[in-house]
Amino acid sequence: MARGELRIYLGAAPGVGKTYTMLEEAHRRAERGTDVVVALVETHGRKHTAAMIGDLEVIPRRRSAYRGVELTEMDLDAVLARAPDVAVVDELAHTNVPGSRHGKRWQDIEALLDAGISVLTTVNVQHLESLNDVVAQITGVEQRETVPNAVVRAAEQVELVDMTPEALRRRMAHGNVYQPEKIDAALGNYFRAGNLTALRELALLWLADKVDDQLDQYRADHRIDATWETRERVVVALTGGPEGGTLIRRAARIAARTKGADLLAVHVARNDGLAGADPAELAKQRVLVESLGGTYHQVVGSDVPQALLDFARGVNATQIVLGVSSRGRFAQLLSAGVGVTVTAMSGTIDVHLVTHERARTRPLRSVPPVLSRTRRITGLVLVLAGLPLLTALLLAGPPIDLTNDILIFLAAVIGVALVGGLWPALLAAVAGSLLLNWFFTPPLRRFTIAERDNLLALAIFVVVALAVSWVVDTAARKTRQAARASAEAQTLATIAGGVIRGERLLERLRETFGLDSVTFLEGGQVVACVGDPCTDPRTADADVKVDDEHRLLLRGHPLDASDRRIVEAFAAQAALAIKQERLSAEAAAARPLAEADRMRTALLAAVSHDLRTPLASAKAAVAGLLSDDIHLDERDRRELLETAAVSLDRLDRLVANLLDMSRLQAGALGITAIDVGLEEVVPRALDDLGGTVGTRLPADLPAVHADPGLLERVLVNVVGNALRHSPPGRPPLITGSALGDVVELRVIDHGPGIPEDRWDDVFLPFQRLGDRDNHTGVGLGLALSRGLTEAMGGTLTPSATPGGGLTMILAMPARSTHPGAGDAR
């Protein structure tokens, strides 16, 4: 039985029309004669979506009880028994009721697909597993229902159902997405214009990546090697030399010229086991590439230009960045070089040859000896003593023909090559040819050869001896270098694993190379140390410079050149680890300072504004009572006394609050957080203000966990600002709603509002009474209000009022999140 096809309608957020579009497709298929059933559609009370089901056959849902509540789910068995051609199943990421056959709805859909039933389904971008943390960072809401990316990517078709944020918010305001009582909360939280724009971009980019994967698969299936410039991809080739940093930055600048371009760095490692790249330089360059937003890759190949072009064509690259050759002119005459070869073979891929400081300045390096000094000396001894002894034995024994003599000497040369390497073997080949000519080739005892065949035999002996010596030495060299490369790779893997696991790299370095101490210096000062610290490079056995400011001093034994490369890689990673640790410590130290600064700002705001009003009122009343120029009757005197008393009471409360804020800043304020009902706090705050304020608090609104006095103070400031900016005939409105573990109070006004880019300004000091612009701020009291709110574990954020105006959202933890009511902090 053929597997069914999966078609997914992807949206950036709820309400964009995924379910409606899916049902439209179901109707189109039904009209073409396809057997279509509705296995499950969630209308969420949307009448247009419910009407769209129309005359499609609907499979009744399965009902099950869970914790005393009857819930419904898709009846998977009924759909399988019905066996339609196409099943409509809404909400791919849904979690099934415990006790269901599968835990997730996407697993039910997999069962339908395996049964040969095609499925139409929907999913929002926030439910994709790989984007879950990104969405949570953007919206502040963590999605607990997710679907693996592989499930969505395996779909035959993914169709994006798109809508602009403005259109979706209008649809929300018209009541076409959520019930009326949820609209304000949704528009001010998850459905903010910025959130919707970010989610829309995520959906578009994710779908673009899937289309890109499909394009790569198509190109691979049809064996298309030519570059299709659907997206700029810049590949920079790294040799492991010091010029890599220049090439990477140049490639990054090229990629930055095009929106959405990809930067890929690739190093081609030889597959013959010969080590040519510097691991320390490659480690640094990999960090640089990733810091610039690119990716690092490594491929293996014997033909470097061909391997580089194969990689570039495999990733559909449009440009390749190479460094200008550092080889001399003579070497370029013998071989064109990687840059010239890649340029000639690149086809439609643009190639950039970038000059750098190292071009044509790389010194020639001598080939290091492969074998130890002892083995080379042993090989020379075999040549100087062994060949004369072999000659004496052949002369003393029964005579044999020249061919056998040559084979015996050839075996001796091979033996010398195995023991002493190339140069002793070459000496043995020359000495052996001379001995054969003098003692065994007629005419004897003369360096002449009478017969042509003997001349040919000796010539072949010399050639074969030289060739065998070269092959044996090369094999030994490659074996040793391959073993060395394997050890270096294992050591570098240990470094990477240590970084991931959070191990101390300096301790790992000391253990790996058997050192006595390892000291990391920054500007001459010890930053980290294992063992006895060493501060003077002259007393260290090895001094590894990381950059101009950092160096690594080692004690224990000197390092050879190959070990030093690994130590440089260690040093580069250690510098990064120490820098990251320092940044984390600085961030942790800055948090209390930022908190103290925020509290000082709140205090300044209160002193500059809230104290001034009651002081002015009390002073005016007392001045009127003391004046001899004004005649006051008993009623006037009493009115002035009452004014002074009210003002001084307000002043007393403000001073008490300011003292509490000072204690809070010092960490000594005891905030008594209890479970308190908003139906108690809101009326008290409104009594202090006067004026007309509408309220719409649901009867079942949960209590909040807060300090009643501080909460009342916050409400007085926030509602007072709303009253000041509300137009006549349109008083502010206070609404309440519960969202999970949070209770929100919304203070809504229909005044002139504030541009979104100035929202942060409302919490700055001196934003009214002429100290600063009186039209873009809503009062100094908000600085104090935000500080008090955050001290109680809540948030105070602005939002745009639909239709014009500003809404202040006061979010406090609900009672359910604090089972121990009445705790004091």
Side-chain angles (χ1 to χ4, degrees), residues 595 598 785-796 825:
E595 179 69 15
R598 181 184 61 80
S785 299
R786 172 173 272 188
L788 293 174
T789 302
E790 293 178 353
M792 294 185 289
T795 59
L796 182 62
R825 294 187 282 121

Side-chain angles (χ1 to χ4, degrees), residues 405-424:
D405 292 331
I406 292 175
L407 290 176
I408 292 173
F409 269 86
L410 181 60
V413 173
I414 294 174
V416 171
L418 292 174
V419 174
L422 177 62
W423 295 109

